PDB file of all heavy atoms in Angstrom:
ATOM      1  N   SER A   1     -60.134  52.441  42.108  1.00  0.00           N
ATOM      2  CA  SER A   1     -61.066  53.156  41.234  1.00  0.00           C
ATOM      3  C   SER A   1     -62.398  53.232  42.004  1.00  0.00           C
ATOM      4  O   SER A   1     -62.776  52.323  42.778  1.00  0.00           O
ATOM      5  CB  SER A   1     -61.253  52.320  39.963  1.00  0.00           C
ATOM      6  OG  SER A   1     -62.457  52.780  39.246  1.00  0.00           O
ATOM      7  N   ASN A   2     -63.174  54.301  41.854  1.00  0.00           N
ATOM      8  CA  ASN A   2     -64.509  54.414  42.335  1.00  0.00           C
ATOM      9  C   ASN A   2     -65.562  53.947  41.322  1.00  0.00           C
ATOM     10  O   ASN A   2     -66.676  54.149  41.494  1.00  0.00           O
ATOM     11  CB  ASN A   2     -64.879  55.807  42.792  1.00  0.00           C
ATOM     12  CG  ASN A   2     -65.011  56.870  41.610  1.00  0.00           C
ATOM     13  OD1 ASN A   2     -64.865  56.588  40.508  1.00  0.00           O
ATOM     14  ND2 ASN A   2     -65.448  58.124  42.006  1.00  0.00           N
ATOM     15  N   SER A   3     -65.033  53.425  40.190  1.00  0.00           N
ATOM     16  CA  SER A   3     -65.847  52.832  39.091  1.00  0.00           C
ATOM     17  C   SER A   3     -66.664  53.894  38.244  1.00  0.00           C
ATOM     18  O   SER A   3     -67.433  53.482  37.467  1.00  0.00           O
ATOM     19  CB  SER A   3     -66.877  51.872  39.677  1.00  0.00           C
ATOM     20  OG  SER A   3     -66.113  50.779  40.344  1.00  0.00           O
ATOM     21  N   ARG A   4     -66.382  55.120  38.373  1.00  0.00           N
ATOM     22  CA  ARG A   4     -66.939  56.185  37.561  1.00  0.00           C
ATOM     23  C   ARG A   4     -65.851  56.712  36.667  1.00  0.00           C
ATOM     24  O   ARG A   4     -64.821  57.191  37.151  1.00  0.00           O
ATOM     25  CB  ARG A   4     -67.637  57.252  38.446  1.00  0.00           C
ATOM     26  CG  ARG A   4     -68.714  56.699  39.317  1.00  0.00           C
ATOM     27  CD  ARG A   4     -69.433  57.823  40.111  1.00  0.00           C
ATOM     28  NE  ARG A   4     -70.216  58.545  39.113  1.00  0.00           N
ATOM     29  CZ  ARG A   4     -71.494  58.330  38.719  1.00  0.00           C
ATOM     30  NH1 ARG A   4     -72.104  57.214  39.041  1.00  0.00           N
ATOM     31  NH2 ARG A   4     -72.158  59.103  37.818  1.00  0.00           N
ATOM     32  N   VAL A   5     -66.134  56.834  35.346  1.00  0.00           N
ATOM     33  CA  VAL A   5     -65.180  57.266  34.403  1.00  0.00           C
ATOM     34  C   VAL A   5     -65.785  58.271  33.424  1.00  0.00           C
ATOM     35  O   VAL A   5     -66.781  58.087  32.889  1.00  0.00           O
ATOM     36  CB  VAL A   5     -64.490  55.946  33.686  1.00  0.00           C
ATOM     37  CG1 VAL A   5     -63.562  56.381  32.584  1.00  0.00           C
ATOM     38  CG2 VAL A   5     -64.010  54.929  34.581  1.00  0.00           C
ATOM     39  N   GLY A   6     -64.938  59.227  33.150  1.00  0.00           N
ATOM     40  CA  GLY A   6     -65.289  60.102  32.061  1.00  0.00           C
ATOM     41  C   GLY A   6     -64.301  60.130  30.884  1.00  0.00           C
ATOM     42  O   GLY A   6     -63.243  59.489  31.094  1.00  0.00           O
ATOM     43  N   VAL A   7     -64.670  60.666  29.814  1.00  0.00           N
ATOM     44  CA  VAL A   7     -63.788  60.679  28.642  1.00  0.00           C
ATOM     45  C   VAL A   7     -63.720  62.107  28.074  1.00  0.00           C
ATOM     46  O   VAL A   7     -64.650  62.860  28.290  1.00  0.00           O
ATOM     47  CB  VAL A   7     -64.299  59.709  27.541  1.00  0.00           C
ATOM     48  CG1 VAL A   7     -65.738  60.335  27.026  1.00  0.00           C
ATOM     49  CG2 VAL A   7     -63.369  59.548  26.383  1.00  0.00           C
ATOM     50  N   ILE A   8     -62.557  62.488  27.565  1.00  0.00           N
ATOM     51  CA  ILE A   8     -62.254  63.840  27.099  1.00  0.00           C
ATOM     52  C   ILE A   8     -61.303  63.746  25.856  1.00  0.00           C
ATOM     53  O   ILE A   8     -60.465  62.908  25.855  1.00  0.00           O
ATOM     54  CB  ILE A   8     -61.685  64.680  28.272  1.00  0.00           C
ATOM     55  CG1 ILE A   8     -61.574  66.174  27.673  1.00  0.00           C
ATOM     56  CG2 ILE A   8     -60.304  64.239  28.645  1.00  0.00           C
ATOM     57  CD1 ILE A   8     -61.202  67.194  28.861  1.00  0.00           C
ATOM     58  N   GLY A   9     -61.479  64.639  24.948  1.00  0.00           N
ATOM     59  CA  GLY A   9     -60.581  64.716  23.908  1.00  0.00           C
ATOM     60  C   GLY A   9     -60.592  66.158  23.242  1.00  0.00           C
ATOM     61  O   GLY A   9     -61.596  66.914  23.377  1.00  0.00           O
ATOM     62  N   MET A  10     -59.619  66.554  22.639  1.00  0.00           N
ATOM     63  CA  MET A  10     -59.525  67.865  21.917  1.00  0.00           C
ATOM     64  C   MET A  10     -59.361  67.575  20.315  1.00  0.00           C
ATOM     65  O   MET A  10     -58.677  66.595  20.005  1.00  0.00           O
ATOM     66  CB  MET A  10     -58.343  68.680  22.330  1.00  0.00           C
ATOM     67  CG  MET A  10     -58.313  68.942  23.827  1.00  0.00           C
ATOM     68  SD  MET A  10     -57.437  67.626  24.739  1.00  0.00           S
ATOM     69  CE  MET A  10     -58.057  67.956  26.416  1.00  0.00           C
ATOM     70  N   CYS A  11     -59.943  68.463  19.565  1.00  0.00           N
ATOM     71  CA  CYS A  11     -59.870  68.324  18.103  1.00  0.00           C
ATOM     72  C   CYS A  11     -60.353  67.066  17.613  1.00  0.00           C
ATOM     73  O   CYS A  11     -61.508  66.722  18.037  1.00  0.00           O
ATOM     74  CB  CYS A  11     -58.306  68.568  17.686  1.00  0.00           C
ATOM     75  SG  CYS A  11     -58.066  68.627  15.868  1.00  0.00           S
ATOM     76  N   SER A  12     -59.713  66.111  16.947  1.00  0.00           N
ATOM     77  CA  SER A  12     -60.179  64.927  16.559  1.00  0.00           C
ATOM     78  C   SER A  12     -60.467  64.017  17.765  1.00  0.00           C
ATOM     79  O   SER A  12     -61.463  63.276  17.836  1.00  0.00           O
ATOM     80  CB  SER A  12     -59.201  64.153  15.632  1.00  0.00           C
ATOM     81  OG  SER A  12     -57.906  63.901  16.348  1.00  0.00           O
ATOM     82  N   GLY A  13     -59.706  64.316  18.944  1.00  0.00           N
ATOM     83  CA  GLY A  13     -60.118  63.526  20.102  1.00  0.00           C
ATOM     84  C   GLY A  13     -61.383  63.971  20.805  1.00  0.00           C
ATOM     85  O   GLY A  13     -62.165  63.216  21.390  1.00  0.00           O
ATOM     86  N   GLY A  14     -61.844  65.208  20.478  1.00  0.00           N
ATOM     87  CA  GLY A  14     -63.199  65.818  20.852  1.00  0.00           C
ATOM     88  C   GLY A  14     -64.200  65.033  20.125  1.00  0.00           C
ATOM     89  O   GLY A  14     -65.250  64.625  20.801  1.00  0.00           O
ATOM     90  N   ARG A  15     -64.053  64.836  18.905  1.00  0.00           N
ATOM     91  CA  ARG A  15     -64.967  64.076  18.122  1.00  0.00           C
ATOM     92  C   ARG A  15     -65.195  62.647  18.625  1.00  0.00           C
ATOM     93  O   ARG A  15     -66.160  62.130  18.732  1.00  0.00           O
ATOM     94  CB  ARG A  15     -64.511  64.045  16.606  1.00  0.00           C
ATOM     95  CG  ARG A  15     -65.357  63.220  15.621  1.00  0.00           C
ATOM     96  CD  ARG A  15     -64.739  63.175  14.244  1.00  0.00           C
ATOM     97  NE  ARG A  15     -65.520  62.328  13.368  1.00  0.00           N
ATOM     98  CZ  ARG A  15     -65.364  60.996  13.280  1.00  0.00           C
ATOM     99  NH1 ARG A  15     -64.348  60.433  14.015  1.00  0.00           N
ATOM    100  NH2 ARG A  15     -66.106  60.303  12.458  1.00  0.00           N
ATOM    101  N   HIS A  16     -63.934  61.975  18.911  1.00  0.00           N
ATOM    102  CA  HIS A  16     -63.842  60.724  19.306  1.00  0.00           C
ATOM    103  C   HIS A  16     -64.554  60.606  20.713  1.00  0.00           C
ATOM    104  O   HIS A  16     -65.266  59.595  21.047  1.00  0.00           O
ATOM    105  CB  HIS A  16     -62.483  60.157  19.386  1.00  0.00           C
ATOM    106  CG  HIS A  16     -61.888  59.810  18.119  1.00  0.00           C
ATOM    107  ND1 HIS A  16     -60.595  60.069  17.721  1.00  0.00           N
ATOM    108  CD2 HIS A  16     -62.427  59.277  17.067  1.00  0.00           C
ATOM    109  CE1 HIS A  16     -60.368  59.630  16.564  1.00  0.00           C
ATOM    110  NE2 HIS A  16     -61.439  59.140  16.072  1.00  0.00           N
ATOM    111  N   ALA A  17     -64.478  61.637  21.659  1.00  0.00           N
ATOM    112  CA  ALA A  17     -65.083  61.647  22.972  1.00  0.00           C
ATOM    113  C   ALA A  17     -66.549  61.567  22.781  1.00  0.00           C
ATOM    114  O   ALA A  17     -67.174  60.871  23.521  1.00  0.00           O
ATOM    115  CB  ALA A  17     -64.579  62.844  23.707  1.00  0.00           C
ATOM    116  N   PHE A  18     -67.115  62.431  21.854  1.00  0.00           N
ATOM    117  CA  PHE A  18     -68.559  62.389  21.651  1.00  0.00           C
ATOM    118  C   PHE A  18     -68.950  61.035  21.126  1.00  0.00           C
ATOM    119  O   PHE A  18     -69.895  60.536  21.658  1.00  0.00           O
ATOM    120  CB  PHE A  18     -68.985  63.613  20.719  1.00  0.00           C
ATOM    121  CG  PHE A  18     -70.415  63.508  20.351  1.00  0.00           C
ATOM    122  CD1 PHE A  18     -71.378  63.844  21.284  1.00  0.00           C
ATOM    123  CD2 PHE A  18     -70.881  63.059  19.093  1.00  0.00           C
ATOM    124  CE1 PHE A  18     -72.672  63.761  21.077  1.00  0.00           C
ATOM    125  CE2 PHE A  18     -72.203  63.014  18.766  1.00  0.00           C
ATOM    126  CZ  PHE A  18     -73.067  63.379  19.807  1.00  0.00           C
ATOM    127  N   LEU A  19     -68.177  60.581  20.235  1.00  0.00           N
ATOM    128  CA  LEU A  19     -68.513  59.223  19.670  1.00  0.00           C
ATOM    129  C   LEU A  19     -68.515  58.140  20.707  1.00  0.00           C
ATOM    130  O   LEU A  19     -69.470  57.272  20.702  1.00  0.00           O
ATOM    131  CB  LEU A  19     -67.538  58.884  18.528  1.00  0.00           C
ATOM    132  CG  LEU A  19     -67.801  57.630  17.661  1.00  0.00           C
ATOM    133  CD1 LEU A  19     -69.154  57.925  16.879  1.00  0.00           C
ATOM    134  CD2 LEU A  19     -66.681  57.530  16.559  1.00  0.00           C
ATOM    135  N   ALA A  20     -67.553  58.257  21.642  1.00  0.00           N
ATOM    136  CA  ALA A  20     -67.560  57.293  22.690  1.00  0.00           C
ATOM    137  C   ALA A  20     -68.720  57.405  23.659  1.00  0.00           C
ATOM    138  O   ALA A  20     -69.273  56.405  24.089  1.00  0.00           O
ATOM    139  CB  ALA A  20     -66.230  57.524  23.586  1.00  0.00           C
ATOM    140  N   GLY A  21     -69.150  58.673  23.949  1.00  0.00           N
ATOM    141  CA  GLY A  21     -70.380  58.846  24.683  1.00  0.00           C
ATOM    142  C   GLY A  21     -71.526  58.242  24.042  1.00  0.00           C
ATOM    143  O   GLY A  21     -72.531  57.926  24.888  1.00  0.00           O
ATOM    144  N   CYS A  22     -71.608  58.036  22.828  1.00  0.00           N
ATOM    145  CA  CYS A  22     -72.675  57.455  22.019  1.00  0.00           C
ATOM    146  C   CYS A  22     -72.545  55.946  21.909  1.00  0.00           C
ATOM    147  O   CYS A  22     -73.603  55.323  21.701  1.00  0.00           O
ATOM    148  CB  CYS A  22     -72.860  58.091  20.668  1.00  0.00           C
ATOM    149  SG  CYS A  22     -73.242  59.780  20.742  1.00  0.00           S
ATOM    150  N   THR A  23     -71.366  55.482  21.976  1.00  0.00           N
ATOM    151  CA  THR A  23     -71.166  53.925  21.616  1.00  0.00           C
ATOM    152  C   THR A  23     -70.443  53.128  22.651  1.00  0.00           C
ATOM    153  O   THR A  23     -70.576  51.870  22.600  1.00  0.00           O
ATOM    154  CB  THR A  23     -70.381  53.810  20.314  1.00  0.00           C
ATOM    155  OG1 THR A  23     -69.029  54.373  20.455  1.00  0.00           O
ATOM    156  CG2 THR A  23     -71.068  54.600  19.113  1.00  0.00           C
ATOM    157  N   VAL A  24     -69.670  53.691  23.588  1.00  0.00           N
ATOM    158  CA  VAL A  24     -69.046  52.927  24.633  1.00  0.00           C
ATOM    159  C   VAL A  24     -69.899  52.893  25.825  1.00  0.00           C
ATOM    160  O   VAL A  24     -70.151  53.987  26.445  1.00  0.00           O
ATOM    161  CB  VAL A  24     -67.657  53.573  24.943  1.00  0.00           C
ATOM    162  CG1 VAL A  24     -67.010  52.773  25.985  1.00  0.00           C
ATOM    163  CG2 VAL A  24     -66.725  53.492  23.626  1.00  0.00           C
ATOM    164  N   LYS A  25     -70.351  51.729  26.284  1.00  0.00           N
ATOM    165  CA  LYS A  25     -71.255  51.728  27.392  1.00  0.00           C
ATOM    166  C   LYS A  25     -70.441  51.686  28.722  1.00  0.00           C
ATOM    167  O   LYS A  25     -69.376  51.075  28.817  1.00  0.00           O
ATOM    168  CB  LYS A  25     -72.034  50.346  27.348  1.00  0.00           C
ATOM    169  CG  LYS A  25     -72.874  50.235  26.132  1.00  0.00           C
ATOM    170  CD  LYS A  25     -73.777  51.545  25.937  1.00  0.00           C
ATOM    171  CE  LYS A  25     -74.611  51.393  24.600  1.00  0.00           C
ATOM    172  NZ  LYS A  25     -75.434  52.651  24.406  1.00  0.00           N
ATOM    173  N   GLY A  26     -70.986  52.434  29.681  1.00  0.00           N
ATOM    174  CA  GLY A  26     -70.350  52.467  31.166  1.00  0.00           C
ATOM    175  C   GLY A  26     -69.655  53.759  31.410  1.00  0.00           C
ATOM    176  O   GLY A  26     -69.151  53.983  32.509  1.00  0.00           O
ATOM    177  N   LEU A  27     -69.580  54.721  30.393  1.00  0.00           N
ATOM    178  CA  LEU A  27     -69.049  56.031  30.673  1.00  0.00           C
ATOM    179  C   LEU A  27     -70.032  56.854  31.506  1.00  0.00           C
ATOM    180  O   LEU A  27     -71.251  56.823  31.306  1.00  0.00           O
ATOM    181  CB  LEU A  27     -68.758  56.811  29.390  1.00  0.00           C
ATOM    182  CG  LEU A  27     -67.519  56.151  28.573  1.00  0.00           C
ATOM    183  CD1 LEU A  27     -67.525  56.747  27.223  1.00  0.00           C
ATOM    184  CD2 LEU A  27     -66.259  56.362  29.337  1.00  0.00           C
ATOM    185  N   ASN A  28     -69.513  57.702  32.366  1.00  0.00           N
ATOM    186  CA  ASN A  28     -70.482  58.582  33.134  1.00  0.00           C
ATOM    187  C   ASN A  28     -70.351  60.005  32.753  1.00  0.00           C
ATOM    188  O   ASN A  28     -71.264  60.798  33.292  1.00  0.00           O
ATOM    189  CB  ASN A  28     -69.919  58.416  34.753  1.00  0.00           C
ATOM    190  CG  ASN A  28     -70.037  57.045  35.217  1.00  0.00           C
ATOM    191  OD1 ASN A  28     -69.024  56.386  35.356  1.00  0.00           O
ATOM    192  ND2 ASN A  28     -71.163  56.619  35.394  1.00  0.00           N
ATOM    193  N   ALA A  29     -69.475  60.432  31.876  1.00  0.00           N
ATOM    194  CA  ALA A  29     -69.548  61.775  31.438  1.00  0.00           C
ATOM    195  C   ALA A  29     -68.512  61.917  30.212  1.00  0.00           C
ATOM    196  O   ALA A  29     -67.582  61.017  30.107  1.00  0.00           O
ATOM    197  CB  ALA A  29     -68.918  62.721  32.579  1.00  0.00           C
ATOM    198  N   ALA A  30     -68.853  62.813  29.276  1.00  0.00           N
ATOM    199  CA  ALA A  30     -67.950  62.895  28.143  1.00  0.00           C
ATOM    200  C   ALA A  30     -67.741  64.504  27.926  1.00  0.00           C
ATOM    201  O   ALA A  30     -68.647  65.365  28.065  1.00  0.00           O
ATOM    202  CB  ALA A  30     -68.736  62.316  26.918  1.00  0.00           C
ATOM    203  N   VAL A  31     -66.536  64.919  27.510  1.00  0.00           N
ATOM    204  CA  VAL A  31     -66.211  66.288  27.251  1.00  0.00           C
ATOM    205  C   VAL A  31     -65.606  66.296  25.784  1.00  0.00           C
ATOM    206  O   VAL A  31     -64.636  65.722  25.495  1.00  0.00           O
ATOM    207  CB  VAL A  31     -65.155  66.732  28.247  1.00  0.00           C
ATOM    208  CG1 VAL A  31     -64.819  68.163  27.901  1.00  0.00           C
ATOM    209  CG2 VAL A  31     -65.576  66.664  29.670  1.00  0.00           C
ATOM    210  N   ASP A  32     -66.282  67.158  24.970  1.00  0.00           N
ATOM    211  CA  ASP A  32     -65.876  67.375  23.689  1.00  0.00           C
ATOM    212  C   ASP A  32     -65.301  68.767  23.581  1.00  0.00           C
ATOM    213  O   ASP A  32     -66.025  69.781  23.625  1.00  0.00           O
ATOM    214  CB  ASP A  32     -66.992  67.200  22.761  1.00  0.00           C
ATOM    215  CG  ASP A  32     -66.798  67.715  21.306  1.00  0.00           C
ATOM    216  OD1 ASP A  32     -65.667  68.072  20.985  1.00  0.00           O
ATOM    217  OD2 ASP A  32     -67.728  67.710  20.548  1.00  0.00           O
ATOM    218  N   CYS A  33     -63.943  68.814  23.363  1.00  0.00           N
ATOM    219  CA  CYS A  33     -63.264  70.138  23.201  1.00  0.00           C
ATOM    220  C   CYS A  33     -62.988  70.477  21.698  1.00  0.00           C
ATOM    221  O   CYS A  33     -62.193  69.696  21.140  1.00  0.00           O
ATOM    222  CB  CYS A  33     -61.954  70.188  24.062  1.00  0.00           C
ATOM    223  SG  CYS A  33     -62.142  70.083  25.758  1.00  0.00           S
ATOM    224  N   TRP A  34     -63.823  71.279  21.184  1.00  0.00           N
ATOM    225  CA  TRP A  34     -63.704  71.776  19.743  1.00  0.00           C
ATOM    226  C   TRP A  34     -63.487  70.595  18.847  1.00  0.00           C
ATOM    227  O   TRP A  34     -62.671  70.583  17.946  1.00  0.00           O
ATOM    228  CB  TRP A  34     -62.582  72.816  19.578  1.00  0.00           C
ATOM    229  CG  TRP A  34     -61.331  72.513  20.119  1.00  0.00           C
ATOM    230  CD1 TRP A  34     -60.216  71.827  19.545  1.00  0.00           C
ATOM    231  CD2 TRP A  34     -60.811  72.814  21.373  1.00  0.00           C
ATOM    232  NE1 TRP A  34     -59.071  71.777  20.340  1.00  0.00           N
ATOM    233  CE2 TRP A  34     -59.450  72.297  21.501  1.00  0.00           C
ATOM    234  CE3 TRP A  34     -61.319  73.423  22.535  1.00  0.00           C
ATOM    235  CZ2 TRP A  34     -58.739  72.509  22.706  1.00  0.00           C
ATOM    236  CZ3 TRP A  34     -60.482  73.653  23.729  1.00  0.00           C
ATOM    237  CH2 TRP A  34     -59.227  73.105  23.731  1.00  0.00           C
TER     238      TRP A  34
END
């Protein structure tokens, strides 16, 4: 691992991806798909 991590989700997973960007520390990027 290069220690950099992004999160992505679609539909309810997109909602969760944005929520993770706000609450999970250590993420480097978040993608919310619809």
Side-chain angles (χ1 to χ4, degrees):
S1 166
N2 75 354
S3 299
R4 299 185 70 82
V5 177
V7 64
I8 186 171
M10 302 93 199
C11 189
S12 61
R15 175 184 179 276
H16 286 140
F18 176 70
L19 191 59
C22 297
T23 62
V24 176
K25 302 305 179 185
L27 290 169
N28 300 104
V31 179
D32 169 6
C33 296
W34 51 90

